[in-house]
Amino acid sequence: MPNFADLLTSPEPSRPVITAEFPVTDGGGLPEIAAHVAALAPYVDAVNATDNAAAHAHASNVAVAIALQQYGVEPVLQLACRDKNRLALEADIMGAALHGITTVCCMTGDDVTAGDEPEARRVFDLDAVQLIRVASGLAKGHYLSGRPVDPAPPLLIGAVENAAAPPHAYRVRRALKKAAAGARFLQLQICYHPDRLAEFTRVGAATGLTPKVALLPSIVLVKGARSLRYMNTRVPGIHVPDEVIDKVAAAPDQREAAYQLALEQSTHALSLPGVRGLHFIDFRHDDALARLCSDLGLPTVRSAPEGNAMAV
C-alpha cells in the first residue's frame, strides 16, 4: 500500500490521497482516541493532530500524534504559531520526530479572540512561512540557531492556505512563498465558492505552484443548515453563501442535502489541476465519510486497527 508521502510526491499517483482532521480531545483518554481512529482509519492515509484548534485549549498536538501512531495511522502534526515561540515549536518537531512522526503542517493560527479564552497572550514569534523555513532547516540538519541536528529528521512539510478569502490574488503568491520555504503540500481551507477554488488552482498551475506542492482542498461533513450558519458567522476565514445555506435549510432531509453538497464539492475539487486529494473534517460522526469515499470511488485504505498497534 503506498504511503502518504508516496501518494503526494509520485508523478503518477495511483489514487487521490485522503487526510482527515482528528476530533479535538479533552478527555476520555486513549479509549476515546481508539474509537475515533477506528472510525477514520479505513478511509484515510493520514490524520491531522490539531494544535489548539480554533484557539481553544485541547490535549497536546504531540501527545495526540503519538497516540495516533500507536493506533496504526500516520499522524500529520499541526503546528500553530499563535501559542508558542520558536523554541517550543522546534521542540515539538524534534520531540515528535523521536517517535518517528515526521509529517508536519505549519500554520500561523487563528487569533485568540476566536476561542473561549480571549484574554490569552498572543505569541506569534514566527508566522507560517518562517515556521516552514525552521522546519526545513531541521530537516537539513540544524536548528534555527545553527546548532547541528544529527541525524536530521526526514520531515515532510506542509502548510495551509485559504483559496476563498480576500485578497484573492494574494493567496497564490502566499502559497508560492510557502512552497519556496519548503512546503510540499497545502491543506486548503473549507471553500463554499467553487469558482474561487477553481481560479486558485488555475493560477497555481500557471505560476508553477502545483508542480511544487500537492493541493488538498478541505471538505466538511455537517448535519444541516445550522452548522453552515455557524461556520459562516463564527469561523474566521469561511464564508458560506446564503443560497447554499437556504438550499440545505429548505430540503426535506437536511442531512441528505448536506451530504450531497459535500459530494458535489468533493467531485469538483478532484477535477481541478494540482489537486492530489482531499482533506475531510467530519462533524457528523455517522456513515457519511464511508459513503462519500465509496461514491467517489476511493478504496478502503486499511482495516480498522484493533487495540494499541504499539503494544507488546
Side-chain angles (χ1 to χ4, degrees), residues 126-153:
L126 305 174
D127 64 18
V129 175
Q130 292 167 330
L131 178 56
I132 294 165
R133 291 197 185 102
V134 169
S136 295
L138 291 170
K140 293 173 183 175
H142 59 84
Y143 286 96
L144 187 57
S145 68
R147 182 161 46 91
V149 176
D150 185 20

Side-chain angles (χ1 to χ4, degrees), residues 1 31 54 107-108 147 160 183 204 250 297 310:
M1 180 183 74
M107 58 193 68
T108 302
R147 182 161 46 91
V160 299
M310 300 295 288

Side-chain angles (χ1 to χ4, degrees), residues 121-195:
R121 181 173 294 179
R122 303 164 178 85
V123 179
F124 294 123
D125 183 30
L126 305 174
D127 64 18
V129 175
Q130 292 167 330
L131 178 56
I132 294 165
R133 291 197 185 102
V134 169
S136 295
L138 291 170
K140 293 173 183 175
H142 59 84
Y143 286 96
L144 187 57
S145 68
R147 182 161 46 91
V149 176
D150 185 20
L155 299 178
L156 173 62
I157 303 168
V160 299
E161 192 50 74
N162 191 333
H168 303 126
Y170 174 64
R171 295 297 165 176
V172 171
R173 292 201 298 273
R174 191 167 75 164
L176 283 165
K177 291 180 181 178
K178 293 175 180 178
R184 291 297 168 259
F185 67 93
L186 292 175
Q187 292 175 326
L188 303 181
Q189 177 61 287
I190 302 161
C191 178
Y192 286 92
H193 294 269
D195 57 327

Side-chain angles (χ1 to χ4, degrees), residues 52 55 80-85 108 110-113 116-125:
N52 288 347
C81 299
R82 175 193 58 246
D83 306 326
K84 302 167 186 174
N85 67 14
T108 302
D110 296 326
D111 189 74
V112 294
T113 53
D116 58 355
E117 299 183 50
E119 69 279 6
R121 181 173 294 179
R122 303 164 178 85
V123 179
F124 294 123
D125 183 30

Side-chain angles (χ1 to χ4, degrees), residues 264-298:
E264 180 182 332
Q265 290 175 308
S266 301
T267 303
H268 174 255
L270 289 172
S271 73
L272 298 174
V275 170
R276 299 292 292 265
L278 299 170
H279 178 67
F280 288 121
I281 305 166
D282 185 3
F283 293 132
R284 291 172 60 125
H285 305 301
D286 56 11
D287 64 347
L289 179 59
R291 180 185 173 192
L292 186 57
C293 289
S294 176
D295 286 347
L296 292 171
L298 300 174

Side-chain angles (χ1 to χ4, degrees), residues 4-289:
F4 179 54
D6 291 340
L7 287 168
L8 279 178
T9 58
S10 171
E12 295 185 5
S14 58
R15 59 173 173 81
V17 63
I18 301 298
T19 60
E21 205 94 338
F22 196 71
V24 295
T25 302
D26 293 318
L30 290 177
E32 181 177 310
I33 298 282
H36 288 309
V37 167
L40 290 172
Y43 313 107
V44 301
D45 297 290
V47 178
N48 283 31
T50 59
D51 192 4
N52 288 347
H56 289 66
H58 299 290
S60 155
N61 56 332
V62 175
V64 171
I66 292 170
L68 290 174
Q69 180 167 263
Q70 288 175 340
Y71 282 106
V73 294
E74 182 172 348
V76 176
L77 182 72
Q78 282 192 359
L79 298 158
C81 299
R82 175 193 58 246
D83 306 326
K84 302 167 186 174
N85 67 14
R86 63 192 69 190
L87 298 178
L89 289 163
E90 289 176 288
D92 276 359
I93 295 170
M94 294 306 299
L98 284 176
H99 295 271
I101 297 164
T102 55
T103 300
V104 300
C105 184
C106 304
M107 58 193 68
T108 302
D110 296 326
D111 189 74
V112 294
T113 53
D116 58 355
E117 299 183 50
E119 69 279 6
R121 181 173 294 179
R122 303 164 178 85
V123 179
F124 294 123
D125 183 30
L126 305 174
D127 64 18
V129 175
Q130 292 167 330
L131 178 56
I132 294 165
R133 291 197 185 102
V134 169
S136 295
L138 291 170
K140 293 173 183 175
H142 59 84
Y143 286 96
L144 187 57
S145 68
R147 182 161 46 91
V149 176
D150 185 20
L155 299 178
L156 173 62
I157 303 168
V160 299
E161 192 50 74
N162 191 333
H168 303 126
Y170 174 64
R171 295 297 165 176
V172 171
R173 292 201 298 273
R174 191 167 75 164
L176 283 165
K177 291 180 181 178
K178 293 175 180 178
R184 291 297 168 259
F185 67 93
L186 292 175
Q187 292 175 326
L188 303 181
Q189 177 61 287
I190 302 161
C191 178
Y192 286 92
H193 294 269
D195 57 327
R196 296 179 189 176
L197 180 60
E199 179 65 6
F200 179 89
T201 62
R202 185 193 68 79
V203 176
T207 57
L209 173 67
T210 47
K212 297 184 179 75
V213 298
L215 301 182
L216 304 175
S218 292
I219 306 295
V220 63
L221 296 165
V222 299
K223 297 177 181 178
R226 180 180 178 182
S227 298
L228 297 174
R229 291 193 188 98
Y230 180 89
M231 284 192 290
N232 189 46
T233 58
R234 300 289 297 276
V235 181
I238 297 179
H239 174 255
V240 186
D242 289 341
E243 57 269 26
V244 173
I245 299 173
D246 293 344
K247 182 178 180 181
V248 173
D253 183 344
Q254 286 199 24
R255 293 180 74 98
E256 180 62 21
Y259 172 80
Q260 292 298 328
L261 173 61
L263 177 59
E264 180 182 332
Q265 290 175 308
S266 301
T267 303
H268 174 255
L270 289 172
S271 73
L272 298 174
V275 170
R276 299 292 292 265
L278 299 170
H279 178 67
F280 288 121
I281 305 166
D282 185 3
F283 293 132
R284 291 172 60 125
H285 305 301
D286 56 11
D287 64 347
L289 179 59

